[in-house]
Amino acid sequence: MLKRSHKYPRLVLNEFGAYSTDTAYRIRMRPECSTRARDLTFSFMNSLTFLSAELEGRHYGGGVLEMVPSEIERLLIPWGRMDAQELAEVDAMVRRRMDVDELLQVTDPLILQNGLGLSPIETAILQTAHRRLRDRRLRVK
């Protein structure tokens, strides 16, 4: 997980076991969950998790959101099972640098509604709350 972020926090799947600098935290899965790292990476991309990051993390000049390990541990992540095609589609969107609000229009129904059982109205409330706190941090009018 990247220590600092701009528009939204990122959890990166490190399938190659690459080393990282101190700009990223290495998160390890419990042995009983180690086969589900892809599910966790996909499940991270939703308005509930991003809202909890805005609430738990701290922000600095220029709109930087920073999280330390104790704050990361408190993140709300609705963890579900995702298929390889869904993960590939979301991965492609992130790599194309799709706008985060457009990305959440794709992932929130899958993760929050289908997975967690939230209604479209509840999902919209989370999206609005996340957007409001993010925009305040980024000083967007």
Side-chain angles (χ1 to χ4, degrees), residues 1 20 36 47 50 55 65 86 90 92 108 110 112:
M1 180 167 176
S20 62
R36 298 198 49 208
S47 292
F50 290 173
L55 293 168
L65 176 65
E86 290 170 333
V90 171
D108 280 351
L110 294 170
L112 300 179

Side-chain angles (χ1 to χ4, degrees), residues 1-5 9-14 17-28 44 65-69 72:
M1 180 167 176
L2 299 180
K3 193 185 273 191
R4 294 178 191 93
S5 59
R10 297 177 195 227
L11 185 63
V12 179
L13 183 59
N14 182 8
Y19 291 99
S20 62
T21 65
D22 66 349
T23 61
Y25 295 115
R26 292 180 62 105
I27 297 173
R28 290 182 175 78
F44 192 84
L65 176 65
E66 180 176 283
M67 301 196 74
V68 298
I72 294 168

